[in-house]
Amino acid sequence: MAVPITHYLVLAAALFCLGALGVLIRRNALVVFMSVELMLNAANLTFLAFARERGDLSGHAAAFFVIAVAAAEAAVGLAIIIAVFRSRNTVNVEELRTMRH
Amino acid sequence: MSVEVVLFWLFAACTLLSAAVVVVVRSPLSCAISLVGTFFSLAGIYVLLWAHTIAVLQVLVYAGAIMVLFLFVIMLLSLAEVGPGTKLSFSRLLGAGAAVALFAALLGSILKLPVRPDAWAADPAKAAAFGTLDSVGKLLYTSYLLPFEAVSVLLLVAIVGAVVVAKSRI
C-alpha cells in the first residue's frame, strides 16, 4: 500500500473528534445533527480501512449497514426537529430544557 | 510520490477542512453545503481504499438523499439567516477539551497498532474482486441476508415514524 493504513485511521479519528466537538459546542439542533453524521462517516472510514488491510469484505457490509441506519436516523431525527420547531418555535438546544432534571 | 499518496493528502485535507467548516460556521445553510463537500471527499478516500461500491453509495445516499433532506428542513424552518451566536462558556471549553483529549487517546492507541503487510493484495484475482459490486452483493445476499432484510424493515419503520412525528394532523 502506498499510503499506510495508520494514515486513514488517524484521518478517521480526527473526523470523529471534529464531529464530537460539533455535538458538544454547537447549539443549533440541525448542526448538532450534521456533526453526528460526521461521526458516523468517521466510523465508516475505519471499517473500510481495516477491510482494506485484512482483505475482508465484511467491513464493506458493515459500512453498507451504517449508511442505511444513518439514512433512517436522518429521516426520524429531522422529523423530530420539525415537530419541536412547530411546538417551541426554536431549534436551539439550550432553550429546550423541559426534560432537564 | 505516487498518485495515490497525492490523492490521499488532497482528499484528506478537503475532508478535514470542510468538516471544520461544518463545526465552526454559524449559518446552517453553509454548514450543509460544506457537509456535502465532506461527503464527496470521503467518497474519494473510499475509492483509494478499493471500496468502489461504498463510495458510490456514499455519493448517492449521503451527498444525495440525506443532504437534500437537510437542505429541505433548513428551508422549511427558514433558518438560513439566524444562528445562535457563539459565546465562550465553561461548558464549551470543557467540550472542546474533551474532544481534544479523545483525539489524543485515539491517536495513542492507533499509533500502537502493529503494521501488517497486506500480503493478500499480491494475489491479482483477489485484488480485482475486492470491493466490487459483484463481491459485496454476493456477501450481502449470503452471509448478511438476515441483517439486510432487517434493514429494510428498519427503513420502513423510519418512513412511517417520520411521517407520524412530522405531520401536525393525521
Side-chain angles (χ1 to χ4, degrees):
Chain A
M1 287 175 80
V3 182
I5 213 76
T6 318
H7 286 35
Y8 291 101
L9 294 177
V10 171
L11 174 64
L15 198 60
F16 188 89
C17 292
L18 271 173
L21 184 71
V23 169
L24 289 172
I25 69 170
R26 292 302 297 257
R27 288 195 217 133
N28 189 326
L30 271 169
V31 180
V32 169
F33 221 68
M34 292 181 201
S35 304
V36 172
E37 299 291 336
L38 281 182
M39 290 161 85
L40 284 169
N41 269 287
N44 254 350
L45 180 54
T46 313
F47 272 127
L48 294 176
F50 279 119
R52 169 73 178 83
E53 188 195 32
R54 307 177 65 91
D56 187 350
L57 277 176
S58 299
H60 290 220
F64 172 83
F65 290 128
V66 169
I67 290 180
V69 171
E73 172 244 0
V76 175
L78 290 172
I80 290 175
I81 289 179
I82 289 180
V84 166
F85 185 78
R86 251 202 210 119
S87 63
R88 303 292 162 85
N89 221 18
T90 177
V91 289
N92 187 337
V93 291
E94 286 189 352
E95 289 170 24
L96 305 171
R97 49 181 72 217
T98 318
M99 286 176 77
R100 241 186 220 180
H101 307 300
Chain B
M1 261 204 322
S2 68
V3 182
E4 193 182 339
V5 178
V6 174
L7 282 179
F8 172 79
W9 286 111
L10 187 71
F11 285 131
C14 284
T15 307
L16 288 181
L17 207 68
S18 46
V21 169
V22 172
V23 173
V24 171
V25 165
R26 276 185 63 175
S27 154
L29 198 56
S30 316
C31 287
I33 298 299
S34 179
L35 198 58
V36 179
T38 313
F39 290 156
F40 269 112
S41 7
L42 264 178
I45 296 267
Y46 293 172
V47 170
L48 291 182
L49 283 169
W50 297 5
H52 325 100
T53 312
I54 302 295
V56 171
L57 273 182
Q58 166 91 3
V59 172
L60 281 182
V61 177
Y62 265 115
I66 293 184
M67 284 326 296
V68 167
L69 211 58
F70 267 108
L71 288 175
F72 192 69
V73 170
I74 290 172
M75 301 298 179
L76 201 66
L77 305 186
S78 55
L79 288 175
E81 304 304 323
V82 289
T86 316
K87 280 206 307 279
L88 208 61
S89 70
F90 177 68
S91 63
R92 294 188 147 189
L93 281 176
L94 207 63
V100 171
L102 178 66
F103 182 63
L106 284 173
L107 204 61
S109 50
I110 285 171
L111 292 181
K112 266 192 238 153
L113 280 177
V115 180
R116 275 176 296 215
D118 54 340
W120 67 272
D123 183 355
K126 258 190 171 173
F130 187 78
T132 56
L133 189 57
D134 186 38
S135 50
V136 175
K138 267 186 191 140
L139 189 73
L140 278 178
Y141 281 107
T142 52
S143 317
Y144 291 92
L145 184 62
L146 188 65
F148 185 78
E149 296 298 335
V151 159
S152 65
V153 176
L154 174 77
L155 285 172
L156 182 68
V157 171
I159 293 169
V160 175
V163 170
V164 169
V165 170
K167 208 163 160 48
S168 54
R169 194 164 47 84
I170 297 176

